[in-house]
Amino acid sequence: EVPLHPGSWASLFGLRGVDWRGLAGRAEKAPKKTVALVVGYNGGAYKGLQQMSDQMKSPDDPDAFMPTIESELELALLRAGAIVPSNFGNLKKIHWTRVGRTDSGVSAMCNVVTGRLVVGAGEEEDMRGLISRVNHFLPDEIVLHGATVVTRRFNARWDGSARAYVYVLPSYCPCRSTPAAVRAGVEAVGCEDARRLGPRESCALEAAAGLRGLRVQEEELGLFRSALACFRGTRYFANFTGANIDRAAPQAWRHVREVSCSEPFLGPDGREWLAVTIAADSFLTYQIRKMVATAAQVAQGYLPLDFVRAALDPHIACKTPKFPPYGLVFLRPFFKHRDRGLALEDSVDSIVESGRTAEWRESLQRTIMEADSETCIWARWLACALQFEEHMRGQALRAVSAYRVAQRSKASRVLQKQAGAVQVASICGHAGVPLWVGRHKWVGKA
C-alpha cells in the first residue's frame, strides 16, 4: 500500500485529527481517464510545485508539512470530485506526472501536470465542469487554465519536448556603475554582513545607492546580450547547477533553443526592468538563474566575457553566481516533437492564443515588481556579491586563465596537424603516390 506523503494535506489532517472525508466531492469509485491540467500560479508563497516536506523534521511532526502548488491542487481535485478519498494522500496513486518542476518562489504562466482523474465521459462539457469546480476550490494564487484528456501512457515530463521561461530583473543589475553604487550604499547604511539584511535594511541600501534611478546603457545591454548568446545551442552546463551530477555524464549537456533579452521597460514605481526569455529542451536545477546572473556580472565588468565560455567548457570546473528565484516565471511547455503530445500542444496553443494567460502573465510580472519595491531582494543580492567579490573573482580569473591556456594548446595542435598534413601531401606528390583530396583523386608528379 502506498503511504501518505508528508507533503499532502491528507497527512497534515491526520496528524491534527481532522476528518477530511467530508470534504470529498465524491465518495464512490468511478472510471478514470488520464487528464492533462494546464495550471498557472504565483509561487511566491509556496515551496515549489512538487509536494515536499521539511526533511529536518520527523514526518510525524505537523510542522514538517510545507505548502506547495501540488498539495493545493490535490486538495482542490478531491473537493471537486476528481479524486476519490481512497486515492487522496499520495499523488503516485493517480500516476501523477509534471512537465516542469519549479523551485520555491518560482511562478508559472502555463505549467502542465497529468493524473488519472474522474471526469465522466471526458467530453468538452465534462472538462468545462471540471475546470469550473477545481477553480472554485483553488486559492487565488493558483488557476486552472484548461484540461485535456490524453493517452494513458502519456508522461508530461518525458513527452514534453521543450520548456520556456522568462526571468524579470531590474535593469540596474547589468549596469557597469552598479557595483560602485552598491559599495557606497553599503558604507552609507553601515552594513557589515549583507546576508543578514532584512527587507527594511535592503530598501535603505537601495535608496542610499540610488539604484532605482539607474538606467542600463546601450553598450551594457549589448554586452549582456552577447553573454547570454554564448549559451545558445548544445552546451555543457555542469557549472550552472546546484545539483550534484556526474560531470562526465550526458545529463550535464543541455540544448538551449532560444535566449533573448527585451528592451528596457518601466515598472509601476518608475524603476526600469528587463525580461530575459530562455527556451530549452530541459534545464538543470538553478540553471536559468545562474545563466542570467553570470551574464549580468559580465555586463557589469565584474567578470570577463571569456568566463562564460570557460564555464561552458567540460574540462573546467568553477562556481557561478545565482540570482534569486522570485523573478523567474515558467512560461509554457512544448509537446510538438512528440506524437503523443500533439493534441496537448494544440490545447496549450489555443489557451495561449485566446489571451487567457496574457492577463495572468502580466499579473505575475506586476507582482514581481511590486514585491521588490517592498523587499529590494536584488539590492541585497548585489551587496552579497560584493561581500564575496575577492573570492569569486579570484576563482573566475583562474578559470579564464585555464581556459585560455587550453585554447592556445588546442590551436597549437591544430597547426601541428595541418603542418603534418602538408608534409605528407608533399611527400606523396613527389613520389607520384595517389592522394585523395575530398572526393577527388590527385596524382602529383615529381
Side-chain angles (χ1 to χ4, degrees):
E1 184 176 346
V2 180
L4 293 180
H5 193 289
S8 169
W9 276 103
S11 176
L12 184 61
F13 287 151
L15 293 173
R16 291 181 175 176
V18 177
D19 184 8
W20 52 265
R21 294 185 178 274
L23 299 174
R26 179 186 299 273
E28 70 284 355
K29 292 185 177 181
K32 298 186 290 294
K33 294 183 180 294
T34 302
V35 179
L37 305 176
V38 183
V39 298
Y41 48 86
N42 180 350
Y46 295 92
K47 297 298 183 181
L49 171 69
Q50 187 176 9
Q51 279 188 355
M52 61 185 301
S53 60
D54 191 337
Q55 299 298 311
M56 301 300 293
K57 297 178 181 178
S58 168
D60 297 331
D61 185 350
D63 291 336
F65 175 84
M66 302 175 73
T68 62
I69 304 300
E70 285 184 349
S71 63
E72 297 296 338
L73 270 175
E74 184 190 28
L75 181 59
L77 290 169
L78 173 77
R79 300 178 70 181
I83 296 179
V84 296
S86 59
N87 286 335
F88 183 57
N90 195 314
L91 292 171
K92 289 183 179 180
K93 294 181 180 180
I94 56 173
H95 306 284
W96 191 265
T97 67
R98 58 191 73 83
V99 70
R101 186 184 62 184
T102 54
D103 298 325
S104 175
V106 178
S107 301
M109 181 184 81
C110 275
N111 203 342
V112 173
V113 295
T114 66
R116 298 280 293 168
L117 306 176
V118 179
V119 290
E123 301 294 337
E124 185 175 348
E125 184 177 345
D126 298 321
M127 292 293 102
R128 285 199 299 265
L130 173 69
I131 295 168
S132 177
R133 294 194 306 275
V134 172
N135 277 326
H136 176 72
F137 294 114
L138 283 173
D140 294 339
E141 297 84 6
I142 307 174
V143 62
L144 178 58
H145 294 304
T148 303
V149 175
V150 293
T151 61
R152 184 172 187 138
R153 295 181 61 188
F154 183 86
N155 184 296
R157 180 183 178 187
W158 301 119
D159 289 320
S161 59
R163 290 89 173 152
Y165 285 80
V166 63
Y167 194 92
V168 183
L169 70 157
S171 70
Y172 60 68
C173 288
C175 286
R176 192 169 290 270
S177 59
T178 293
V182 173
R183 187 175 288 108
V186 168
E187 294 177 358
V189 299
C191 173
E192 296 182 357
D193 188 350
R195 294 172 296 180
R196 297 184 179 181
L197 287 174
R200 182 181 301 176
E201 294 82 3
S202 298
C203 290
L205 167 63
E206 184 192 62
L211 296 179
R212 188 163 300 197
L214 290 182
R215 298 291 185 263
V216 64
Q217 302 301 309
E218 194 61 37
E219 182 182 355
E220 298 161 344
L221 188 57
L223 186 54
F224 184 50
R225 287 169 171 161
S226 297
L228 289 171
C230 295
F231 297 113
R232 192 177 293 115
T234 303
R235 298 285 184 265
Y236 180 78
F237 284 101
N239 292 321
F240 291 87
T241 179
N244 293 322
I245 64 171
D246 183 356
R247 298 183 61 86
Q251 288 79 7
W253 295 82
R254 289 292 188 271
H255 182 69
V256 176
R257 296 177 177 270
E258 175 195 354
V259 185
S260 62
C261 177
S262 71
E263 290 297 321
F265 58 93
L266 294 179
D269 59 354
R271 195 179 329 195
E272 193 177 67
W273 294 79
L274 296 170
V276 178
T277 303
I278 302 176
D281 291 353
S282 59
F283 292 95
L284 295 168
T285 305
Y286 306 147
Q287 179 182 332
I288 295 174
R289 291 158 58 187
K290 283 177 166 282
M291 289 167 60
V292 180
T294 301
Q297 291 200 333
V298 169
Q300 289 177 4
Y302 184 88
L303 298 173
L305 184 58
D306 267 355
F307 176 72
V308 181
R309 304 185 180 103
L312 292 170
D313 192 304
H315 301 102
I316 294 176
C318 60
K319 294 181 180 180
T320 50
K322 180 179 66 177
F323 266 157
Y326 306 107
L328 187 59
V329 177
F330 183 30
L331 288 180
R332 60 160 297 176
F334 296 90
F335 301 92
K336 55 189 174 184
H337 299 124
R338 301 285 192 274
D339 290 340
R340 285 199 296 264
L342 291 178
L344 182 55
E345 174 76 9
D346 292 339
S347 178
V348 176
D349 282 343
S350 66
I351 291 172
V352 173
E353 292 169 2
S354 68
R356 277 181 279 173
T357 58
E359 185 178 347
W360 185 257
R361 177 178 177 175
E362 291 176 5
S363 172
L364 293 176
Q365 191 166 287
R366 187 168 56 252
T367 300
I368 291 170
M369 294 186 287
E370 290 174 351
D372 190 55
S373 294
E374 300 175 358
T375 61
C376 300
I377 189 69
W378 276 277
R380 178 181 179 273
W381 186 90
L382 289 165
C384 288
L386 283 177
Q387 185 170 327
F388 298 97
E389 176 182 18
E390 184 176 346
H391 171 72
M392 288 297 296
R393 182 175 289 178
Q395 69 93 26
L397 293 179
R398 287 193 294 272
V400 170
S401 176
Y403 172 75
R404 289 172 177 169
V405 169
Q407 290 300 106
R408 286 195 295 268
S409 176
K410 181 179 178 180
S412 176
R413 290 196 300 271
V414 170
L415 290 175
Q416 290 172 5
K417 289 180 180 179
Q418 290 175 343
V422 170
Q423 289 179 348
V424 170
S426 177
I427 293 172
C428 290
H430 183 75
V433 178
L435 179 68
W436 288 90
V437 180
R439 293 180 299 171
H440 308 285
K441 185 168 72 172
W442 172 78
V443 180
K445 294 183 180 180

